[in-house]
Each structure stands twice: as structure tokens, then as C-alpha cells.
Amino acid sequence: MFRTALRNVLAHKARLLMTMLAVLLGVAFVVGTLVFTDTVGNAYKERYLTTLRNVSVQVTPPFDEKTGEPGTVGEDTLRRLQRLPGVASVTGSVEGFAAVAAKDGRPLGEDNVAMAGNYFPQADGKDNRHPLTTGRAPSGPDEVLVDTSTADQGGYQVGDTVRLAIDGPVLHKKLVGIVRTDNASGSGGTAVFFDNATAQKLLLKRGQYDGFSLKAERGASEQRLAAEARDLLPKDFDISTGAQLREQQRAAAAEGAKGLGQVLLVFAAIALFVGVFVIGNTFTMLVTQRSQEVALMRAVGAERRQVTRSVLIEAALLGLSAGAAGFLLGIGVAMALRQLFASTESGVPDGPLVVAPGTVLVSFLVGVVVTMLAAYLPARRAAAVPPVAAMSALHTPPPARSLRRRNAVGVALIMIGVLGVVFAASSGELGRTIVLFPSALLLIGIIVVTPALSGPAIALAGPLLRRFGVPGTLAARGARRNPRRTASTASALMIGLSMVTGLTVVAVSATTSLYQRAENIVTADFEISSRKADYLPALVHDALAKSTAVTSSSPQRRSTVRTGRNEVDLTGVDARSIGDLLDPSFASGSLAALGAGGGKNLLIDTTTADNYGWTMGQRVPVVYGDGSRDTLRIGGIYHNDDFLPTTMMPLATLQPHLKEIQDTSVLVHTKDGDGETVRRSLQRALDQNPLIQLRSTDDLADSAGGGAITLLLNMLYALLAMAVVIAVLGVVNTLAMSVFERTREIGMLRAVGLQPEQTKRMIHLESVLISLFGALLGISAGIFLGWASGRMASGSIQGYEMVIPWGRIAVALAGAALVGVVAGLWPARRAARLNVLTALKAD
């Protein structure tokens, strides 16, 4: 039986190639995920090992509860640590924030890390944390280093002048060197380094550090050095050995890579699940074609289990071959995944590919197990064929009862799935934990009843197919000939498109709601704020107000006041211009109230009203920060929104009580909108300060999550593409097998006048029909699952409303039709080139 299985594999190489490709792609995705996960974990480990290579003990002062900022420690502690026995060197750390502009003035890395630090040379004049790649160390307050990533982004070379800002005006520093660092490189962020004294002055205080790194002498114990440091320093200092730090970082890296790997493996599992349909289809058709051969084997003494074993051995051999090829292709998938994440500036570090021995074993195990599982039912069917019936070529269709039973099971699964999904959609947090199970039942139910749905679907397409004449009529009959096979082929495509459609519905709905809210509420063209999440000096608004491009503007200045036992933040705005800049949706009152009531009216959002129990028209006594008392009247209550302050009052009333004039942000309306030319004009008015960011309504929506959702959706599309490709292979495989089965029929059609071009058209139409059938099932299921997912997400996405992306759905349908055309190319060409006489003699 083993020789028989081997002969069958070798005899049907072309037929099994497409099946092998389906298994191969699924295995490749699994292997690529495992290799990518191991590679990322190793790269993070190597990064931290490099960073901590010269760290034997790390000393960190306690958090300063009074200032709410990390603690600092002085030079005296540095000198005391340097005198400890066994210490080779002590490095003082100073870290902070510095926004950097490119050489042409544009801000760099606005949505990423903008770090600054000190260059702390040791006895050899080098800082091992930041190795120089070119140039020299800074030696004065007007000199600076940047890392390689910042130099590349900004177009800087040694000798250029770097524009940067820390918490105020633009600073100009001479670039004297470029260093290699792992703190910001590869993530789209920036890093600049000053000499030690300048860094302390700009980022902390003179003579202060935010921590120390101790390097032990050769042979000295890290644990002993850490114990001596603990004896020297106050008990609230955090002291860790280098080994502890490296283990912590290694565990964190492994955990992060593991989480990413689990997500990727879900998509790999989807691809393999789709592949099961392709494999099952192929083996079903192969077994059917070899029914006489199987019957002959039974007649000469082969037992049923031997026939089953023969087919399973054939599947195992195919799985072994696919596993080996999938392993090699998986290496390429891992490289592609690494490039994909690098292009998104996700901060994933680069490093050599890591192929663990277990990954090799998994590739073969997955290939063999998946293929054998998919071939098991066809193998059982082969063994169950009565020898006499098979040798007589009496191929009877499945009894109606079995289809009725299958349909009943499918309908039951669909009903349970739909009810479960609806329940999950209305159950809040509970629904998110249980929704996957009923969703899976729903999809399985659709797969089960797809044979019953294929007939009516093809009948509905009949009038359209008849426009293509005889080829269209024959294509419909061909698709209807074996509803199980048509259903199985369409189901493979349905699974991939249901996932794509569901994700698209949720993502498009979320982003559309987000961008519409931003556009409707923020009528200003730009919001100007600080990248440091700090306050803007009042001169920023003054500079903007003087700009000829600005037609109206308003600062937003905040102050905390006491009202009874509570404290509340009040935001002062320009009562005259705020109506041009914001358009809140009011539950009661209006923005006009800010200009009435002698400047004593206060507008609040619904959340604030609920929290404090305030109602429209209520008078609220307040105590300002300078001790002055006042009484404000609630002049309006608007619906809360992330794009709005929680309170608004006339700036003229609030400003006299402010100790320091600072703005949380500035809103401006320009005469020429929010175009790039206007943006550059405003940046020039602000001295192209990289600390200051200008955001349009689209930028605000992006920063609120719109950009991240779009990026995530594109990445998910790329990951699901593998499942769609496997589904396409299934269509090709099914049609190729169908052409082989219908060789004699096609010969007869050719003999009675069907032309080669008509034969091609018949196969193409059948392919398109199957693809569109699967696409419509997937899109319908995806819209429903997208609705349910959106209902569950609506609690965390403000203003969420379901939007069906008809344009993208049309593209998906057009893509499915194109898939049908492409998938039918080879089978159609093969059918058209059949020799009529040879085809007529075929069994």
C-alpha cells in the first residue's frame, strides 16, 4: 500500500501541485511567524544586552512626590560611588526632552520619541552608551551630537547647525559628531546629546543627575558592589545589578514578542483553515477519479483500512514535501514581516534571523497533520465505495437525506451563531470575551449550508449568464453539477473575505466617525500646542494674532479653582472669536452665553454637569488660585467630546486671576484654510520652532486614533492576503480537476460545434461564478460580524456609528471577479486545447 501511495503521488504531480501550494503557503505563514517572533525577541535582547553591557549596578533615585517628577541626585553622590571598592567607572545619566528640526526647518518625528541626554566621557574620553560613528564629543554649550537616525531624517552632517527646542525658543547648536544609540533609532524618533554641564543646565539642574550606572572592575562581583551601594545610599533608592536588569529586559522583550507572535499565529491558523478546504477538495476529486482503481484493489483483497491508509500515506508524503518547501518560504515570509514592521516605524529593532530547531519540527508537523486531517474524510469515502459499483462506474450522487441532514445541522449552527453574536453585541465587556465562539459557529454553519445555497445563487445568476450564450448556460450547469465541491471552493474564499469585510466595516466606521467629529466640532483650521505636553508661552498667541494669514484666534488658558470641597479646571477662551473656532453640540444654552451675563457665564460639558450635579442657570461660587472669590452662572451645557475642553468661560474674566499667562493650546482660523502653504506660513511666524506643533482637524483625528486604525487595517490586510491567495489556489485546483473529470463531455461539446474560445469562456464564467458566490457569502457574513464588533467597540469609541464601505465592497467584488478570471486562465486554456478525438475516447 505504501508503494501504491507513492506511485499515486508521482503519477499525479501536476494535480497535486496546487494542493501542495495551499499547504506550503499555510506552513510558510506559521514558520515565518515563529522565525519573526524569535528574531524580534533576540533583537530586543541583543539591544538591551548592548545597552547594559557596561552596567554592573544601576542606581536610580526615588520619585519626587512634591514635584511629581523623577528624582535627582547630586555630584557628591557620584564622587562617593566612584570611591567604592571594585568600581571601574561611574556614569551619570541626564535625560530629558528636545524637539529637533530638519536642516530645512521642518519638525522631525512629531509623533515619536524626542529624547535628549548627556555625553559622559570616561577616562578614555568616550561614552560607551553612545559610540561615535563620526566626529568628536561636544566640548561646550554650543555643541551637540545627534544619533544616526536623526542625522538621516534631518539631512545633517558634521559641521551643520542643528535647530532644536527644549521648553522655549529655538536653540542653534553646532553638530560636532554623530553617535549610534538604541534609544530612538529605527522608531522614527530623535535623539540629541550635550556635554554633561550643558545637559544638566538645560534638562535638569546644575550638578544633578537622574541616575548612575556603575561598571565593576574585572573579577569584581556585581552583587557585592550592589550591596555596598545600598549601604552607602538612602534606603529609598532603587539599586539593581546588571544581571537583574538584563533579565528584566529579556523577559519584557520575550513577552512583547510572544504577544505579537500570538496575533500573527491567529492569521496563520486562518490561512491553514482555508487550506483545509483546498486539500479536502483535491483529495475528494482524486479519490473519485480513482474509484475503479480502488475497487480493483478491494476486489483483489485490499481491506478498507488499507485503502484509507493508502490515501493518508499519500497525504503524509504531500505534507512532508509541502512542509519542507514551506519552511524555506517561511524564512522569506519572516524577512517580509520584518520589512513590513520596519516600514511602519514601529520601533522593532533589526537583527539576524533566528531559526530555532523547534521551528523546523513545527513546519513538518503542521504540513503533515493538516494535510492528513483534510484528507481523512476523502480517504474514508474511498474505502467505503462498493467494489462492484465502482468497477461499473456507477457514480450516484449523494442521497438527498444526507443533504437534508447537513442543511438542518447548518441552519441550527447559523441560528445559534447569530443569536450568540447578537447577545455578545449587546453584552458590553462580557460580549468581547465570548463573541469569538458564536462567530466561529456562524461561519461554520454557513460553510455547512453552502451546498444548498449554491443552487439558488446560480439560478439567480442564470439570466445574466444566458447573455453570454451557450458558454454561460454551460458554465451554470458546470457550477451546479457538484454543489459540494462548488460550496467547498467558495467557502475557502468566503472565510478570507468575511474577515477582511468585518475588519473594514469596523475600521471605516471608527475612522469616519472620528474624522467627522473632528471636522464638525473643531471649525478652526489649526490647533497649536506644545510637543512636550506642556504649556505654550503667551507670546505664541501674540505672534499668531499678528500673522496676516490668521483671521481669528483664541488661546485656551486653564486654571484650577475650588468650589466647595471640590476642585475643577476652568478653561478661558476668547468669547468674541470662539464661535469661529469650535462648534459644540449643546444640550441647553449656546456659545453666545460667553459674551453675555457680564462675563460671569460658565459653559460645561455633560460629564462635568453629572460629576458635580450642576444644572442650567445654577450659580456656582468659586475661589480662584489667587484667593479671589467669585460666583459664576451655568450658561450652557454641551455634550462632552475629546476634542473639546470640559469647561469654557470668558478669558477676560479668568486671566486677572492667573499667576502666569500660559496656554494649553491656541486655535486659529485662517483666510486660506489648512493647506500646506498656510501651515508653512504659520511655522515661519513661530520661528519654525520644532517644539510647537500645528495640527489640522485631520491631524487631530489621526492623533486621536484615526491614523493608528488605518495603519493597523492595512497591516491586517497584508496578513489576511495569505488566506485569500490560498483560496484562489483552491479555485484553480477545483477548475483544473473539473476539466479533467469532464474531458469526454468537453470533447463531445467540441464535436458538436463548441469553439475553443467558447470553451475558454465557459470555464472563465464558471470560475467567476464560484468566486463571486464565495465573495457574496463572505461580504454578507463580514458585514454582520462588523456590525456586532462595532456595537461592542462603540462604548470605547465616542460617536461611533456603523458605516458600510460600499466603495470598498465594490472593489472586493470586482477583485473576486478578477480572481475568477485569473484562476480560470490555466484550466480554460487546458480545456480549449483538448484534442477532440482523444477527449471522446476518455473514460
Side-chain angles (χ1 to χ4, degrees):
M1 297 307 292
F2 178 79
R3 288 196 298 271
T4 301
L6 182 60
R7 178 185 60 79
N8 284 329
V9 171
L10 296 176
H12 303 109
K13 294 187 291 293
R15 300 184 202 174
L16 293 174
L17 176 62
M18 303 304 291
T19 305
M20 179 178 170
L21 282 174
V23 184
L24 183 153
L25 289 174
V27 170
F29 205 162
V30 173
V31 170
T33 297
L34 295 175
V35 172
F36 175 71
T37 302
D38 292 339
T39 298
V40 170
N42 182 72
Y44 272 117
K45 184 179 70 174
E46 291 299 321
R47 168 188 281 188
Y48 294 127
L49 287 176
T50 300
T51 304
L52 299 170
R53 182 175 51 198
N54 295 306
V55 177
S56 302
V57 175
Q58 182 79 46
V59 176
T60 306
F63 193 81
D64 191 334
E65 299 291 346
K66 293 182 179 179
T67 62
E69 297 179 354
T72 60
V73 61
E75 293 275 1
D76 57 334
T77 304
L78 172 66
R79 289 190 288 270
R80 291 163 63 195
L81 290 171
Q82 287 173 331
R83 292 194 292 267
L84 284 175
V87 171
S89 64
V90 180
T91 300
S93 172
V94 177
E95 291 186 358
F97 172 93
V100 184
K103 196 172 180 179
D104 59 7
R106 59 186 169 83
L108 294 178
E110 287 187 286
D111 297 322
N112 295 287
V113 176
M115 70 157 293
N118 65 326
Y119 189 84
F120 193 97
Q122 299 296 334
D124 59 359
K126 298 178 181 179
D127 186 340
N128 291 325
R129 299 173 304 169
H130 316 303
L132 280 162
T133 61
T134 184
R136 60 173 176 82
S139 59
D142 296 325
E143 296 180 346
V144 72
L145 304 173
V146 301
D147 74 327
T148 52
S149 175
T150 305
D152 292 340
Q153 293 180 71
Y156 284 118
Q157 294 180 345
V158 173
D160 290 336
T161 299
V162 179
R163 297 168 53 84
L164 56 94
I166 295 175
D167 56 5
V170 175
L171 304 176
H172 299 83
K173 306 287 184 180
K174 182 181 179 181
L175 181 62
V176 296
I178 298 175
V179 300
R180 186 176 68 253
T181 181
D182 291 319
N183 290 322
S185 298
S187 63
T190 59
V192 297
F193 303 96
F194 309 94
D195 69 274
N196 194 58
T198 304
Q200 289 176 331
K201 177 183 176 182
L202 295 175
L203 305 176
L204 294 177
K205 295 179 181 178
R206 290 185 184 275
Q208 295 294 303
Y209 299 92
D210 53 28
F212 299 112
S213 300
L214 283 64
K215 181 181 179 182
E217 294 177 345
R218 180 172 296 182
S221 167
E222 288 186 351
Q223 290 78 6
R224 182 174 180 180
L225 185 58
E228 292 174 346
R230 289 191 186 95
D231 293 338
L232 179 69
L233 299 172
K235 293 182 179 180
D236 54 358
F237 273 59
D238 182 20
I239 300 174
S240 304
T241 64
Q244 290 173 330
L245 293 172
R246 287 187 286 272
E247 177 58 27
Q248 290 171 6
Q249 299 290 4
R250 186 205 63 77
E255 187 64 27
K258 179 182 177 182
L260 178 61
Q262 289 173 342
V263 173
L264 294 175
L265 282 174
V266 169
F267 290 94
I270 293 171
L272 285 171
F273 185 59
V274 172
V276 166
F277 289 92
V278 180
I279 301 164
N281 252 0
T282 302
F283 275 94
T284 297
M285 289 184 280
L286 287 175
V287 165
T288 302
Q289 292 167 15
R290 300 205 310 258
S291 58
Q292 289 183 336
E293 175 188 329
V294 171
L296 182 60
M297 293 170 59
R298 293 286 309 281
V300 298
E303 298 180 1
R304 293 179 61 171
R305 64 171 175 237
Q306 288 179 301
V307 175
T308 302
R309 192 183 307 138
S310 174
V311 177
L312 290 178
I313 291 172
E314 189 177 337
L317 293 173
L318 179 67
L320 280 172
S321 303
F327 171 75
L328 297 176
L329 182 60
I331 305 298
V333 171
M335 297 173 65
L337 286 171
R338 187 171 62 176
Q339 189 62 34
L340 173 66
F341 278 84
S343 66
T344 62
E345 296 185 347
S346 60
V348 174
D350 198 5
L353 287 177
V354 177
V355 182
T359 303
V360 182
L361 179 63
V362 166
S363 66
F364 288 98
L365 193 62
V366 169
V368 172
V369 170
V370 169
T371 309
M372 291 182 69
L373 283 175
Y376 179 72
L377 287 179
R380 291 290 302 271
R381 292 193 194 104
V385 174
V388 175
M391 294 175 70
S392 304
L394 299 175
H395 304 298
T396 57
R401 181 179 177 186
S402 65
L403 283 176
R404 286 198 298 268
R405 186 182 303 158
R406 173 174 178 157
N407 294 339
V409 171
V411 170
L413 289 175
I414 290 174
M415 292 179 64
I416 294 172
V418 169
L419 292 174
V421 170
V422 171
F423 173 77
S426 58
S427 299
E429 291 293 332
L430 175 63
R432 298 180 187 181
T433 60
I434 65 173
V435 70
L436 289 179
F437 180 69
S439 298
L441 287 181
L442 172 61
L443 292 178
I444 293 172
I446 294 174
I447 292 169
V448 171
V449 302
T450 300
L453 297 175
S454 62
I458 294 170
L460 287 174
L464 183 61
L465 290 172
R466 283 195 289 272
R467 295 186 179 183
F468 293 92
V470 174
T473 303
L474 293 174
R477 290 179 181 176
R480 220 171 21 233
R481 178 187 303 271
N482 192 328
R484 292 173 181 269
R485 184 187 306 165
T486 298
S488 182
T489 307
S491 295
L493 193 59
M494 182 269 290
I495 294 168
L497 282 180
S498 66
M499 300 293 175
V500 170
T501 303
L503 292 171
T504 302
V505 168
V506 175
V508 170
S509 299
T511 54
T512 300
S513 302
L514 193 60
Y515 284 95
Q516 284 183 347
R517 276 176 43 226
E519 185 176 348
N520 293 337
I521 292 173
V522 183
T523 53
D525 292 309
F526 291 99
E527 181 195 71
I528 293 87
S529 59
S530 171
R531 286 185 59 193
K532 199 177 178 181
D534 208 338
Y535 291 92
L536 292 170
L539 57 87
V540 170
H541 176 252
D542 296 340
L544 290 169
K546 294 175 183 177
S547 173
T548 56
V550 176
T551 57
S552 61
S553 64
S554 172
Q556 297 188 77
R557 294 173 185 165
R558 188 176 299 165
S559 177
T560 301
V561 301
R562 291 198 320 275
T563 171
R565 296 182 178 179
N566 301 314
E567 290 188 344
V568 62
D569 288 334
L570 300 185
T571 301
V573 296
D574 190 326
R576 296 168 298 177
S577 60
I578 195 64
D580 296 333
L581 307 168
L582 294 176
D583 186 18
S585 172
F586 277 85
S588 56
S590 68
L591 274 177
L594 288 177
K600 301 296 184 180
N601 280 338
L602 173 66
L603 307 184
I604 59 174
D605 68 4
T606 48
T607 300
T608 303
D610 293 339
N611 289 341
Y612 296 100
W614 294 342
T615 58
M616 182 68 182
Q618 181 177 343
R619 297 189 177 276
V620 179
V622 298
V623 180
Y624 294 107
D626 61 358
S628 303
R629 297 179 179 274
D630 201 354
T631 300
L632 303 178
R633 175 183 175 274
I634 306 300
I637 301 176
Y638 53 89
H639 296 287
N640 69 295
D641 197 280
D642 295 336
F643 297 115
L644 292 170
T646 57
T647 63
M648 286 186 281
M649 67 176 295
L651 182 60
T653 303
L654 180 64
Q655 184 162 308
H657 306 288
L658 298 178
K659 296 179 180 179
E660 190 174 0
I661 307 301
Q662 292 179 326
D663 302 331
T664 56
S665 66
V666 177
L667 299 171
V668 298
H669 199 289
T670 69
K671 59 183 178 182
D672 296 319
D674 59 359
E676 194 59 33
T677 301
V678 179
R679 183 190 294 266
R680 288 196 295 268
S681 173
L682 295 179
Q683 286 175 337
R684 286 194 297 270
L686 297 171
D687 194 26
Q688 291 185 317
N689 191 326
L691 180 67
I692 300 173
Q693 59 182 355
L694 284 74
R695 295 187 294 180
S696 64
T697 52
D698 285 346
D699 296 330
L700 290 172
D702 282 341
S703 63
I709 293 173
T710 302
L711 176 62
L712 178 62
L713 180 63
N714 291 334
M715 291 177 63
L716 294 178
Y717 280 163
L719 296 174
L720 284 170
M722 189 73 75
V724 176
V725 169
I726 294 175
V728 172
L729 292 176
V731 178
V732 177
N733 218 12
T734 297
L735 290 172
M737 293 293 185
S738 178
V739 169
F740 178 83
E741 285 181 350
R742 293 152 55 189
T743 299
R744 188 172 183 181
E745 175 189 327
I746 293 171
M748 294 180 64
L749 290 172
R750 292 286 308 283
V752 298
L754 191 69
Q755 298 300 311
E757 286 301 318
Q758 290 178 307
T759 305
K760 285 185 179 180
R761 192 175 303 127
M762 175 185 70
I763 300 299
H764 277 305
L765 287 173
E766 185 176 342
S767 176
V768 171
L769 186 60
I770 293 173
S771 298
L772 287 177
F773 175 51
L776 286 171
L777 286 178
I779 289 170
S780 302
I783 290 175
F784 175 70
L785 294 176
W787 165 82
S789 301
R791 280 288 302 271
M792 288 183 287
S794 60
S796 55
I797 302 177
Q798 190 175 17
Y800 180 92
E801 292 183 5
M802 180 177 173
V803 175
I804 299 179
W806 296 113
R808 298 196 188 196
I809 288 176
V811 170
L813 285 173
L818 180 62
V819 163
V821 172
V822 173
L825 286 175
W826 177 54
R829 185 169 178 268
R830 186 170 180 269
R833 296 180 65 181
L834 284 175
N835 183 281
V836 176
L837 294 178
T838 303
L840 287 171
K841 292 188 294 182
D843 292 332

